[in-house]
Amino acid sequence: MDIVEIISKKQSGLELTDSEIGYVVAGYTEGVIPDYQMTAFLMAVYFKGMNDRESTTLTICMRDSGQVLNHERILGYKIDKHSTGGVGDKTTLILGPMAAALGIKFSKMSGRGLGHTGGTIDKLESIPGFRVNLSEEEFYKQVNEIGLAVVAQSGNLAPADKKIYALRDVTSTVASIPLIASSIMSKKLAANDDEIILDVKVGSGAFMKDLDEAEKLARLMVKIGRNAGKKVMAILTNMEQPLGATVGNALEVVESIETLKGKGPADIEALCCSICAYMLMDAKGVKSLDEAYDMARATLHDGSALNKFREFVKAQGGNDEVVDKYSLFQPAQQRIAYKAQSEGYLEKVDALEIGLAAGALGAGRHKLGDDVDHAVGIVVYRKCGDYVKKGDVILEVFSNGVGEVQCFEHLNNAIIIGKERKFKNLILKVIR
Ligand code: URA
C-alpha cells in the first residue's frame, strides 16, 4: 500500500477501505509513516471528513493498537461514564460512589486536566495519600470488592491515539468530529465496559461551543460504540457556566463530599442523579426514569454514597478522615472576594474565563507534565440568572500568590451583569 495514494484519495473526498485505514494507523504507530505524511493525512480528514464506517474502522484500529482490558474479571454490569471535559465537572467523584452504593460496577480510567479544563485524577490527588496508579490485579480486586475504582489511564491503552493526538495538537487538526470521536471512543472501547455513558459538554467552557456540532459528535460516538457492540448513550449538558460551585482540585473534592452528604449545589446533584437514573434503568432494569431518579437521589441523603466514597478513598490509600475534616486538605494562603460592580441579573458567569482564571492561579496545567497546585481555585457563589446588588460577593479566589493579576483579568471577562434574566437548562438533550 502507498501512503501518498491514500492521502490523495482522502484529499479528493473519496471513501477509504478498512485495510487502507488499518495501514495508516499501524504504519504511524510503528514509525513507518513519518509525522509529515501523517499530518497530511489528518489534514485531509479534517477537511473532507469520514463517514460512519470509516470512523468506526479508525476507532477499532486505534483500540487494537494496544491492550484491551479483560473486564470478564469484574463480576456484574460495568458502566463507564465519560465527560468530554469542562469547568467544575466533578461528576465522577459523586456518581461513582452513588452507582457503587446501588450495586453497579463503576470501573473508570480518568485523565488529568489540560488547558482550562480540570481532570478527575488531579482532583483525587488532592486527597492525602491517594494512589491513582493501581496494578491490574488491584484494580479488578477493588472493583469486585467495593464496586468502584478510578485510576489514571494506563500507558498501553490505545497507544495509536496517544501518538496521533499529540500530532493533532501541534498541527491544528484537533477540531474534527471524526478525529475527536475516534480518539475518545478508542480509549473507551479499550477500557471495555458493558456500557458507556457519554456526557458531551456544550458551551463556552467545552470543546464543542455549539449544540448542533455537539449533537453531531455525540451521535457519531454513539454509533461507533454500537457498531463495536457496546451499549452507548449520550447526554448533552450545558457548559456555559461552571458546574456546581467550585473550580479547583481540593475545592472540588470538598464540594463532592458535601454533595455526597446531601448538601451539594442543585445543578451538580441533578446531573449526577439523572445519569445515575439511566444507569439504574440499564443495569438494574428499573422501569421508570422518575423512580430511578429517586433511588439515585436517596443515596445522597441516606449516607450510602458517602460510605462508598470513604471505602473508595481508603482502598486507594487515601486518608478517609478528609470526609469529616476538610482541614486535612492543603489550604490556600489567601482568599480574595470578587464583588459585583453594579446591580442586576448575572447574564454571564463564563465557564471558559473562570477555567482560565483558576488555571492562572496554578489549578491547571499549560502542558502535559506541569505541576498543579491542589489548593487554589475559585468558589462560585452566584450563578446565571441570579440577581445581585453592587458589592455582593459573586466569586471568591483561593490563591497562593501566583497569577492573581491574570486571574482577575479573566474574572472581569467572565462576569456580565445586565437587565435580562437569562437562563439555560442544564440537560440539553439525551440520545438513547
Ligand atoms: N479528548 C480526547 O480524548 N480526544 C480528542 O480528540 C478530544 C478530546
Side-chain angles (χ1 to χ4, degrees), residues 62-69 153-160 162 190:
M62 293 203 291
R63 175 197 69 185
D64 292 343
S65 65
Q67 183 188 14
V68 176
L69 293 185
Q153 194 168 305
S154 112
N156 198 27
L157 224 67
K162 200 169 183 181

Side-chain angles (χ1 to χ4, degrees), residues 54-356:
E54 291 173 293
S55 304
T56 303
T57 302
L58 178 61
T59 309
I60 302 286
C61 293
M62 293 203 291
R63 175 197 69 185
D64 292 343
S65 65
Q67 183 188 14
V68 176
L69 293 185
N70 176 7
H71 267 26
E72 299 295 302
R73 294 177 60 189
I74 299 176
L75 310 171
Y77 197 75
K78 302 160 276 286
I79 306 188
D80 188 357
K81 187 276 312 176
H82 177 82
S83 156
T84 55
V87 178
D89 185 3
K90 64 280 294 172
T91 318
T92 296
L93 302 182
I94 302 157
L95 188 61
M98 290 171 78
L102 290 161
I104 299 165
K105 295 284 166 50
F106 193 90
S107 55
K108 181 150 176 55
M109 303 216 165
S110 283
R112 294 185 183 278
L114 192 59
H116 71 280
T117 64
T120 302
I121 292 300
D122 294 326
K123 294 171 199 179
L124 285 169
E125 280 183 340
S126 63
I127 301 173
F130 196 96
R131 289 168 59 213
V132 297
N133 295 306
L134 299 183
S135 69
E136 237 179 290
E137 281 310 313
E138 289 173 315
F139 179 73
Y140 291 129
K141 184 165 178 286
Q142 185 177 315
V143 181
N144 280 324
E145 283 178 7
I146 69 163
L148 158 73
V150 181
V151 293
Q153 194 168 305
S154 112
N156 198 27
L157 224 67
D161 172 63
K162 200 169 183 181
K163 198 167 171 196
I164 294 170
Y165 190 85
L167 187 63
R168 285 168 58 210
D169 206 19
V170 293
T171 56
S172 192
T173 49
V174 169
S176 143
I177 286 179
L179 295 179
I180 296 172
S182 55
S183 165
I184 292 175
M185 291 306 288
S186 64
K187 291 172 284 210
K188 296 292 107 187
L189 296 179
N192 205 9
D193 287 273
D194 296 309
E195 177 168 349
I196 303 154
I197 299 185
L198 301 161
D199 178 2
V200 180
K201 300 287 183 201
V202 191
S204 84
F207 221 35
M208 295 280 135
K209 311 287 180 203
D210 161 280
L211 185 57
D212 286 347
E213 288 297 290
E215 186 170 346
K216 275 188 210 148
L217 174 66
R219 289 197 184 279
L220 180 58
M221 290 195 288
V222 168
K223 198 164 263 172
I224 290 172
R226 290 182 186 161
N227 286 346
K230 296 289 179 194
K231 189 167 176 66
V232 192
M233 67 166 283
I235 178 160
L236 283 88
T237 62
N238 183 353
M239 189 35 76
E240 291 293 350
Q241 62 178 342
L243 187 62
T246 58
V247 180
N249 299 293
L251 292 171
E252 291 191 44
V253 177
V254 171
E255 184 183 5
S256 303
I257 298 170
E258 284 289 293
T259 308
L260 291 163
K261 290 177 179 171
K263 297 187 285 185
D267 61 348
I268 188 87
E269 178 172 308
L271 180 59
C272 292
C273 290
S274 298
I275 299 178
C276 192
Y278 287 113
M279 289 180 161
L280 277 168
M281 291 173 81
D282 294 342
K284 298 285 171 187
V286 178
K287 290 280 176 295
S288 106
L289 187 60
D290 287 346
E291 184 191 346
Y293 189 97
D294 290 343
M295 287 169 70
R297 190 168 180 277
T299 67
L300 299 178
H301 295 269
D302 65 11
S304 57
L306 184 68
N307 285 341
K308 268 295 160 202
F309 183 82
R310 277 186 220 273
E311 281 180 57
F312 158 63
V313 169
K314 203 167 175 182
Q316 290 192 219
N319 182 354
D320 63 335
E321 288 173 28
V322 293
V323 169
D324 305 304
K325 206 170 164 195
Y326 299 151
S327 58
L328 291 170
F329 289 100
Q330 278 231 325
Q333 284 160 12
Q334 49 186 335
R335 295 165 64 159
I336 313 162
Y338 182 94
K339 295 182 181 169
Q341 284 153 26
S342 58
E343 178 165 347
Y345 289 106
L346 275 175
E347 289 185 359
K348 207 169 188 186
V349 181
D350 188 82
L352 172 62
E353 292 292 345
I354 292 182
L356 292 170

Side-chain angles (χ1 to χ4, degrees), residues 404-419:
E404 281 172 8
V405 173
Q406 280 161 289
C407 168
F408 274 85
E409 277 170 13
H410 286 299
L411 295 184
N412 285 335
N413 295 335
I415 301 297
I416 295 184
I417 299 173
K419 289 195 171 59

